[in-house]
Amino acid sequence: MESVRAVAAVPRAVLRLVSLLVVVATGIALIPVVARIPAGLRDRLIRRWCRTIVRAAGVELRTTGAAPPTGGLLLVANHISWLDIPLLAAVRPARMLAKAEIRRWPVAGVLTASSGALFIERDRLRALPETVGRIAQSLRDGGAVVVFPEGSTWCGRAQGRFRRAAFQAALDADAAVQPVRLQYRHDGGAVSTAPAFVGSDSLLTSVWRVVSARDLVAEVQVGPLLPPGSAPDRRTLARAAETVAVHSVSAAHPLTRARVNTEAHAHL
């Protein structure tokens, strides 16, 4: 990761940090109230709240494409930062598959648990089939589930391979898969690794690096949907989703979208 050289003034960074904590805390406090609101309105409120979280951190959000608003959907994306979570929730509110350690994180642990996240103990392979079954059941019930198939965060300039296990849940539930590409840039266009949350970084260190950065842009590119029945097995489905997620997909560029479709369907 590169160090953040062009940083905002400390008072501005502190203001962003305070604003971020206030927005997150307000959302947590309102969870019992929001839970009683009809699903359509609730999803709109959650999406607006997540966009506000991103803006409060001083990050500009740019989204291209859209995910189906209803029906069972497995959302899969590359993983870079803690910011990825509100970014994907702004696409479509969903249950998240998260590592069990997140439960112990301050603030983020409470927020993740209260959102109905599915937790996985990565060092217990015997528990994996049960986790896949729970994901599949959520999809059958018409819900959306967010999975980061790389299994860990990356710096943003490199990407891991998509692991196959979670894609079995989509096959079992006969649900669609929605690949999403996440990328962070400086407003001038260069890729930024400032939001990356990797290695021995603490959550507070990563958050401070984000709120201190200037002109940070989060790009969320929703790729072509992979419909149920489009892949014979989880390996093929994982590779097709990975192919979409590693390319830039923009509704404003039909040729780019067509190329990605061609490469994804080559895997299928």
Side-chain angles (χ1 to χ4, degrees):
M1 289 190 319
E2 65 187 3
S3 60
V4 178
R5 296 177 181 175
V7 296
V10 171
R12 180 187 300 173
V14 170
L15 180 60
R16 287 176 176 175
L17 181 60
V18 171
S19 299
L20 177 62
L21 293 176
V22 169
V23 171
V24 172
T26 302
I28 293 175
L30 292 176
I31 285 175
V33 177
V34 175
R36 298 188 178 96
I37 296 175
L41 177 58
R42 181 174 65 243
D43 284 356
R44 288 195 295 273
L45 290 175
I46 292 174
R47 292 176 65 186
R48 183 173 297 178
W49 176 54
C50 289
R51 292 190 190 103
T52 304
I53 289 175
V54 176
R55 286 197 297 267
V59 180
E60 180 184 348
L61 174 58
R62 297 176 184 172
T63 303
T64 56
T70 59
L73 185 69
L74 185 69
L75 277 158
V76 296
N78 59 307
H79 200 10
I80 301 171
S81 172
W82 53 271
L83 268 172
D84 299 348
I85 298 170
L87 289 179
L88 288 175
V91 172
R92 177 175 167 181
R95 301 182 73 179
M96 185 181 71
L97 180 66
K99 59 184 181 181
E101 301 93 291
I102 290 181
R103 282 176 171 168
R104 299 191 293 271
W105 290 3
V107 182
V110 176
L111 181 60
T112 304
S114 61
S115 70
L118 301 168
F119 291 99
I120 180 172
E121 298 181 25
R122 295 185 296 180
D123 56 347
R124 290 187 61 224
L125 292 180
R126 292 182 180 180
L128 186 57
E130 179 184 351
T131 302
V132 171
R134 291 166 63 196
I135 297 172
Q137 188 56 54
S138 293
L139 298 175
R140 290 190 194 98
D141 292 340
V145 178
V146 167
V147 175
F148 298 108
E150 292 166 303
S152 184
T153 50
W154 287 67
C155 70
R157 290 181 178 166
Q159 180 171 323
R161 301 302 300 270
F162 276 16
R163 300 181 182 183
R164 296 170 285 179
F167 292 91
Q168 186 61 49
L171 294 174
D172 292 345
D174 197 29
V177 175
Q178 180 69 77
V180 179
R181 174 178 170 83
L182 304 176
Q183 194 164 49
Y184 298 91
R185 295 182 179 275
H186 298 291
D187 197 23
V191 173
S192 172
T193 61
F197 181 30
V198 296
S200 59
D201 250 1
S202 69
L203 180 59
L204 181 58
T205 299
S206 180
V207 171
W208 180 256
R209 193 164 51 244
V210 170
V211 298
S212 299
R214 282 186 181 275
D215 302 323
L216 198 58
V217 176
E219 295 181 346
V220 182
Q221 300 169 328
V222 183
L225 189 73
L226 302 178
S230 59
D233 54 56
R234 63 185 183 183
R235 180 179 181 277
T236 307
L237 188 56
R239 291 295 169 264
E242 182 183 321
T243 299
V244 174
V246 299
H247 290 88
S248 298
V249 182
S250 173
H253 299 284
L255 292 179
T256 301
R257 191 168 64 250
R259 173 172 57 81
V260 171
N261 268 316
T262 300
E263 293 180 3
H265 284 290
H267 284 290
L268 295 177

